[in-house]
Amino acid sequence: MPIPSDHSKPVRQSAKESAFNQLQQWIIDGTLLPGEKLNDNEIAKALGISRTPVRESLQLLEVQGFVKMYPGKATQVTEVEKESINDLLPPLAVLQALAAELAVPNVDKDILEKLESINERFKDAIHSENYYAALKIDEEFHQIIVDAAGNKYIYDIINDLQAHVRRQFFHNSIVLTEQSIEEHEMIIKNMREGNGEKVSTIMKENWVRAIEEFRSVNKG
Amino acid sequence: MPIPSDHSKPVRQSAKESAFNQLQQWIIDGTLLPGEKLNDNEIAKALGISRTPVRESLQLLEVQGFVKMYPGKATQVTEVEKESINDLLPPLAVLQALAAELAVPNVDKDILEKLESINERFKDAIHSENYYAALKIDEEFHQIIVDAAGNKYIYDIINDLQAHVRRQFFHNSIVLTEQSIEEHEMIIKNMREGNGEKVSTIMKENWVRAIEEFRSVNKG
DNA sequence: AAACATTTGTCCGTATGTATA
DNA sequence: ATATACATACGGACAAATGTT
């Protein structure tokens, strides 16, 4: 009998990690509502683990800004203020722009092909009005660029901000529009030509436009 | 006997918080060396608390990138690579520039006076070659601007990046130069005039120049 | 005002996994 | 290969703090 060549490590997931992932998902998608009280004892029972890993994951979620702990009193899910998208997108915009600029020297044929392929799927998602799919695919697109930038600080920060954007999507219906498709194409084009400054500019405009669209939808 | 009007709450510091602050300080100033193994039992004894709050603070330090935990194996202080300052400063630069731009509409006389006063102290520190003092005062200066920007995401991210810059100072002798004094003056001037775009540009140059100075010192 | 119920904070023992002899 | 030593991961009980009756 042949030995399975698949040496995929089971990536032993600790109780803390699975609790963290589960809770984060629930908070992002609204299963756990803003303001909801989180009793670590209850959560522990619900997840079939003890309070220790639950408490630990709650603390990590607090650093991320998804929960707020009031020592000795309570732990609750943070609010989702519509306006916070206005605080969220500007730093994301400048960091994505920076990432794109840093990525340019590292861009090769393989990366360009990936970006084109992802943008095709993005186009399909927009046209079929699968907006959550579109958001996820858009994240993939930008993730390729962030990876290519090869800067772990930017990587971590963007990851964190994106999680909050995802939460805003569920709570306040952020949507991506047709126009993003063309902007992605422009990004690819200028990356191919090695024009870092132009890429950075377009990238920033891509996000700034998203901010303004959001504002006009919600205020107009 | 009059009741003290100062209602400053003692801000009851939990064992976790004090452990976190202490460990972070030790890692930044080099008391705990890069690569050093951290045994939670030992640390707990040293700090006179139990292992739980120690573990919790170690996990927060891991998120910050100051320690790395190998589940079931070991926990150790992360390395301090000289090159990582090259990764650290660009995102810090664009975020500080953004913060400055966002701060402009909120700048008032009080803020301008604070900035001028801080820059005086900064000048003294540079001239008397108290470089660590200069770094701390420079942080104060930028903190005022970040506060004025009123964006909690930017606030948190910059805080985090600054901690890493501080660590680099201790390990690789980052120094601030004479030129920063004048740049600070330019920032104040353009803030007073409400010129957000100009402030942003100067701010970014302020940090980019720091990057280049560092490179020339370390490669030349 | 004081005792109670509830929730978080801390302690420490044990289980589990890893590296080494 | 087995056993041993050791560090972390987890569990459950107790202590401390808060709000309430």
Side-chain angles (χ1 to χ4, degrees):
Chain A
M1 166 182 163
I3 295 166
S5 60
D6 182 11
H7 281 220
S8 68
K9 350 170 185 175
V11 182
R12 197 165 43 85
Q13 181 148 306
S14 65
K16 181 192 81 177
E17 281 174 277
S18 59
F20 174 83
N21 290 328
Q22 183 65 82
L23 290 172
Q24 189 192 46
Q25 183 58 39
W26 280 342
I27 292 173
I28 288 175
D29 70 20
T31 304
L32 290 172
L33 294 170
E36 189 159 344
K37 275 187 65 173
L38 299 176
N39 184 311
D40 54 17
N41 221 325
E42 280 179 34
I43 296 172
K45 277 183 209 155
L47 298 179
I49 57 181
S50 79
R51 280 179 57 218
T52 303
V54 171
R55 277 179 52 75
E56 290 175 347
S57 53
L58 287 176
Q59 289 175 16
L60 299 182
L61 288 167
E62 182 175 38
V63 173
Q64 278 204 342
F66 285 126
V67 312
K68 176 89 182 132
M69 304 179 87
Y70 301 90
K73 292 200 287 194
T75 301
Q76 51 181 298
V77 179
T78 53
E79 297 296 327
V80 185
E81 285 140 27
K82 256 214 283 283
E83 307 77 38
S84 71
I85 193 76
N86 292 326
D87 285 349
L88 213 40
L89 293 182
L92 193 50
V94 298
L95 289 171
Q96 294 277 13
L98 175 62
E101 195 174 337
L102 295 174
V104 166
N106 304 327
V107 163
D108 57 21
K109 199 177 152 189
D110 181 53
I111 290 175
L112 290 169
E113 278 171 9
K114 274 188 195 157
L115 289 175
E116 278 166 353
S117 146
I118 292 172
N119 200 32
E120 283 302 311
R121 289 196 287 127
F122 182 68
K123 195 189 293 185
D124 293 343
I126 292 280
H127 288 159
S128 57
E129 298 179 4
N130 291 329
Y131 293 117
Y132 185 59
L135 180 71
K136 297 283 283 184
I137 296 169
D138 186 65
E139 279 187 23
E140 273 185 64
F141 184 89
H142 291 288
Q143 191 64 53
I144 298 282
I145 295 169
V146 171
D147 286 345
N151 182 314
K152 70 180 171 186
Y153 299 100
I154 296 177
Y155 179 96
D156 286 342
I157 298 166
I158 286 183
N159 243 12
D160 198 66
L161 293 173
Q162 287 282 14
H164 285 273
V165 171
R166 233 168 18 245
R167 190 178 183 211
Q168 284 285 338
F169 173 90
F170 279 105
H171 291 261
N172 294 313
S173 306
I174 307 303
V175 291
L176 295 165
T177 63
E178 189 84 16
Q179 195 167 342
S180 290
I181 300 167
E182 196 185 333
E183 281 167 346
H184 286 181
E185 281 168 4
M186 289 293 287
I187 290 167
I188 295 171
K189 174 177 178 291
N190 282 282
M191 280 199 153
R192 180 177 286 113
E193 295 168 2
N195 195 338
E197 209 169 326
K198 194 76 191 291
V199 169
S200 175
T201 304
I202 296 169
M203 182 67 91
K204 190 167 176 186
E205 275 169 11
N206 175 232
W207 289 93
V208 167
R209 187 180 52 72
I211 300 169
E212 279 160 9
E213 271 176 14
F214 175 80
R215 285 193 181 133
S216 68
V217 167
N218 282 275
K219 288 195 180 169
Chain B
M1 169 179 158
I3 296 165
S5 60
D6 181 13
H7 282 219
S8 68
K9 345 168 186 179
V11 180
R12 197 164 43 83
Q13 182 146 299
S14 64
K16 181 192 82 179
E17 282 174 276
S18 58
F20 174 83
N21 290 327
Q22 183 65 80
L23 290 172
Q24 189 191 46
Q25 183 57 39
W26 280 342
I27 292 173
I28 288 176
D29 70 20
T31 304
L32 290 172
L33 292 170
E36 191 159 345
K37 278 186 65 173
L38 299 176
N39 183 308
D40 54 17
N41 221 324
E42 281 177 35
I43 296 171
K45 278 182 208 156
L47 298 179
I49 59 180
S50 80
R51 284 166 44 220
T52 303
V54 170
R55 272 180 55 73
E56 290 176 347
S57 54
L58 287 175
Q59 289 175 15
L60 300 182
L61 288 166
E62 182 176 37
V63 173
Q64 279 205 345
F66 286 126
V67 311
K68 176 87 183 137
M69 303 180 87
Y70 301 90
K73 290 200 287 192
T75 302
Q76 52 182 303
V77 179
T78 53
E79 297 295 327
V80 184
E81 286 140 28
K82 258 214 282 280
E83 306 77 40
S84 72
I85 194 76
N86 292 326
D87 285 350
L88 212 41
L89 293 182
L92 192 50
V94 298
L95 289 171
Q96 294 278 12
L98 174 62
E101 195 173 339
L102 296 174
V104 165
N106 304 326
V107 164
D108 58 19
K109 196 177 154 192
D110 181 52
I111 290 176
L112 290 170
E113 278 171 11
K114 274 187 195 157
L115 290 176
E116 279 166 352
S117 145
I118 292 173
N119 200 30
E120 283 301 310
R121 289 196 287 126
F122 182 68
K123 194 189 295 185
D124 293 343
I126 292 279
H127 288 159
S128 56
E129 298 180 4
N130 291 328
Y131 293 117
Y132 184 59
L135 180 71
K136 297 283 283 183
I137 296 170
D138 186 64
E139 280 187 23
E140 272 185 65
F141 184 89
H142 291 288
Q143 191 63 53
I144 298 284
I145 295 170
V146 171
D147 287 345
N151 183 312
K152 70 180 170 189
Y153 299 100
I154 296 177
Y155 178 96
D156 286 342
I157 298 166
I158 286 183
N159 245 11
D160 199 66
L161 293 174
Q162 287 282 12
H164 284 273
V165 171
R166 224 156 40 233
R167 191 179 183 210
Q168 284 285 337
F169 173 89
F170 280 106
H171 291 261
N172 294 312
S173 305
I174 307 302
V175 290
L176 294 166
T177 62
E178 188 85 16
Q179 195 167 342
S180 290
I181 300 169
E182 196 184 335
E183 281 167 347
H184 286 181
E185 281 168 5
M186 289 292 287
I187 289 167
I188 296 172
K189 173 175 178 292
N190 281 282
M191 281 199 152
R192 180 178 287 115
E193 293 167 4
N195 195 338
E197 208 170 326
K198 194 73 192 293
V199 168
S200 175
T201 304
I202 295 169
M203 183 67 89
K204 191 167 175 186
E205 276 168 12
N206 175 229
W207 290 93
V208 167
R209 186 180 53 69
I211 300 169
E212 279 159 10
E213 269 176 15
F214 176 78
R215 285 190 179 133
S216 67
V217 168
N218 283 274
K219 290 193 180 170

